[in-house]
Amino acid sequence: MKESRFSENFWSTDITSTVGYDNLIQHMNDGRKTCKELEDFIKQRISIEERYGKDLVSLSKKVCGQNELNTLKRAFDVFKQQIENVGLSHIQLASSLREEIKKLEDFREKQKDQRKKIEHSMENLHKQKTMCYKKTMDSKKTYEQKCKEKDEVEQMLNRSAGVSNSKQQEKLQAKANQSKQSAEEADRLYQQNVTTLEKIHEDWQKEHIKTCEVLEKQDCERIHGIRNAMWVHTNQLSQDCVTSDEMYEEIRKVLEQCNIQKDLDFFVDLKRTGDIPPAFILYENYYNGQRGVSSLSRAPVNPRRMPLPRPESSECEPQYATVGGNGNSFVRYQ
């Protein structure tokens, strides 16, 4: 299938018409508007990422889990640190997106400057061609009128031959000579204007073809540039998701290291007050000082702790699994 070319599809049979050129310029203006809309879209995304990142960093500074000990305290520290890192990652993403915005703006302004020169040249040629065409049509009209007048005078001269006196014949002959001279002058001016119009029309055609080629190239670059900008934008967002997940993975890893028994033992070792309970208060007789025996039986203190109960999950709560062979933690629902 033959590829379409601007230079082959934006002509008009009307010599004064600019409809083809106008359609091309409108299309390029629409393309420039699309570039601006994409810039504004990414700018809003930058604002969202920046605000979200700053909010996460601020959130990570909030007091959370400061009274915990040992492995759970370590989990809280890593949890908050990675949340801060995620926030910083979003702020960095906003900075990277801002660089892409600058490239889009520079590209749009560069194309705008290139089109200014082309549009200025084409508008001048359009104006010259229109004025020359009007002048040519006026001179044609004058030429045709002079030819009619010449023919009429010559017919009068022929009819008066042998009828009018010599003086009238001389007047008619003088008038015929004058009308012939005027017709010849109008013919010369008409031909001159046609030649000038032909030259301007030729220049306009060459410039129109050149303009079509330049605008087609610009449109190709614009489509490629916008497509590439959206591709890069998507890759940046995707990479940020990967980076964030790597940070969340650090949290999952440290959560796997949480050990309930170790945390309990750590707390006991840190805050223990003793392993001997207070003695029972026995009855003492006031008169003979005899001490009685406690009527309450007390089971001996068993220094060995029973196994910790296994936390139970309701049917709607997730069961947490460890990192598998693929290096990722996951949450499995029943």
Side-chain angles (χ1 to χ4, degrees):
M1 182 177 178
K2 183 181 178 181
E3 294 182 348
S4 297
R5 290 286 179 264
F6 285 7
S7 59
E8 299 172 356
N9 294 280
F10 290 94
W11 298 95
S12 173
T13 55
D14 183 357
I15 193 172
T16 60
S17 175
T18 60
V19 61
Y21 172 76
D22 292 340
N23 285 348
L24 285 173
I25 293 301
Q26 182 60 50
H27 177 65
M28 301 308 291
N29 288 337
D30 291 342
R32 185 174 62 188
K33 182 181 178 183
T34 300
C35 284
K36 187 64 171 62
E37 288 171 346
L38 180 59
E39 290 169 25
D40 293 339
F41 182 92
I42 298 179
K43 283 179 181 178
Q44 291 184 38
R45 182 61 188 257
I46 289 171
S47 178
I48 292 170
E49 293 292 340
E50 208 162 38
R51 184 168 61 251
Y52 179 57
K54 289 178 179 179
D55 286 347
L56 283 180
V57 171
S58 177
L59 178 63
S60 70
K61 305 300 182 184
K62 300 291 184 182
V63 174
C64 183
Q66 65 174 355
N67 295 323
E68 292 301 331
L69 302 170
N70 205 31
T71 62
L72 188 58
K73 176 176 175 57
R74 170 64 180 163
F76 267 108
D77 291 343
V78 173
F79 175 74
K80 292 173 64 179
Q81 179 61 55
Q82 294 305 324
I83 293 299
E84 180 182 8
N85 290 343
V86 171
L88 294 174
S89 174
H90 281 277
I91 294 174
Q92 178 58 44
L93 172 61
S95 178
S96 298
L97 293 178
R98 194 170 282 111
E99 294 176 5
E100 293 303 316
I101 281 290
K102 185 65 170 62
K103 293 178 183 178
L104 266 178
E105 289 175 343
D106 292 344
F107 172 76
R108 178 169 55 83
E109 289 301 316
K110 178 183 177 182
Q111 286 208 333
K112 180 181 176 181
D113 292 340
Q114 289 176 343
R115 283 204 305 276
K116 274 184 178 180
K117 299 176 182 178
I118 295 173
E119 290 176 16
H120 180 71
S121 176
M122 283 298 290
E123 286 172 5
N124 285 338
L125 282 172
H126 282 316
K127 190 178 295 183
Q128 291 178 34
K129 186 178 66 167
T130 301
M131 291 176 61
C132 188
Y133 174 76
K134 184 178 181 302
K135 189 176 180 181
T136 301
M137 292 301 100
D138 289 343
S139 64
K140 179 183 179 183
K141 185 177 180 180
T142 301
Y143 162 69
E144 291 174 346
Q145 181 63 33
K146 294 298 182 182
C147 287
K148 287 179 181 179
E149 291 176 357
K150 171 180 170 293
D151 291 345
E152 289 174 357
V153 172
E154 287 179 348
Q155 288 176 7
M156 289 175 60
L157 183 62
N158 292 333
R159 284 196 301 267
S160 65
V163 177
S164 304
N165 57 39
S166 59
K167 191 171 183 181
Q168 289 178 332
Q169 281 292 109
E170 289 176 0
K171 287 182 178 181
L172 286 174
Q173 186 63 52
K175 189 174 181 180
N177 292 338
Q178 179 64 38
S179 62
K180 180 181 179 182
Q181 183 179 355
S182 297
E184 290 175 350
E185 177 62 25
D187 183 31
R188 184 191 63 79
L189 183 60
Y190 174 42
Q191 290 189 45
Q192 179 180 330
N193 287 338
V194 169
T195 302
T196 302
L197 178 59
E198 183 180 0
K199 176 64 170 61
I200 293 176
H201 185 63
E202 185 180 354
D203 292 342
W204 171 82
Q205 280 189 324
K206 291 179 180 178
E207 189 66 24
H208 182 76
I209 293 173
K210 178 182 174 183
T211 298
C212 287
E213 291 173 348
V214 172
L215 294 183
E216 182 178 324
K217 181 181 178 183
Q218 277 200 346
D219 205 34
C220 290
E221 292 174 348
R222 179 187 65 83
I223 295 171
H224 173 76
I226 290 178
R227 173 183 175 275
N228 185 66
M230 289 192 290
W231 194 293
V232 171
H233 179 72
T234 303
N235 284 347
Q236 288 174 320
L237 300 182
S238 179
Q239 181 58 48
D240 187 66
C241 291
V242 173
T243 302
S244 295
D245 190 63
E246 289 173 352
M247 296 172 182
Y248 293 138
E249 183 65 16
E250 294 301 315
I251 297 174
R252 289 188 284 264
K253 287 179 180 179
V254 76
L255 288 174
E256 289 177 353
Q257 302 304 316
C258 285
N259 187 299
I260 298 175
Q261 187 59 58
K262 285 183 179 180
D263 283 8
L264 293 179
D265 291 343
F266 185 87
F267 170 71
V268 169
D269 291 341
L270 182 67
K271 298 292 185 177
R272 65 183 302 167
T273 58
D275 57 0
I276 301 176
F280 285 94
I281 305 299
L282 301 178
Y283 168 78
E284 294 184 13
N285 189 283
Y286 176 77
Y287 295 99
N288 56 25
Q290 183 180 358
R291 293 187 175 187
V293 179
S294 173
S295 61
L296 298 175
S297 62
R298 179 178 180 129
V301 177
N302 185 359
R304 297 181 63 185
R305 183 181 293 112
M306 298 295 290
L308 290 170
R310 180 182 180 84
E312 295 182 357
S313 301
S314 65
E315 293 183 359
C316 61
E317 291 179 343
Q319 294 182 346
Y320 295 92
T322 59
V323 176
N326 59 359
N328 293 315
S329 298
F330 60 90
V331 178
R332 183 178 69 251
Y333 285 84
Q334 289 181 327

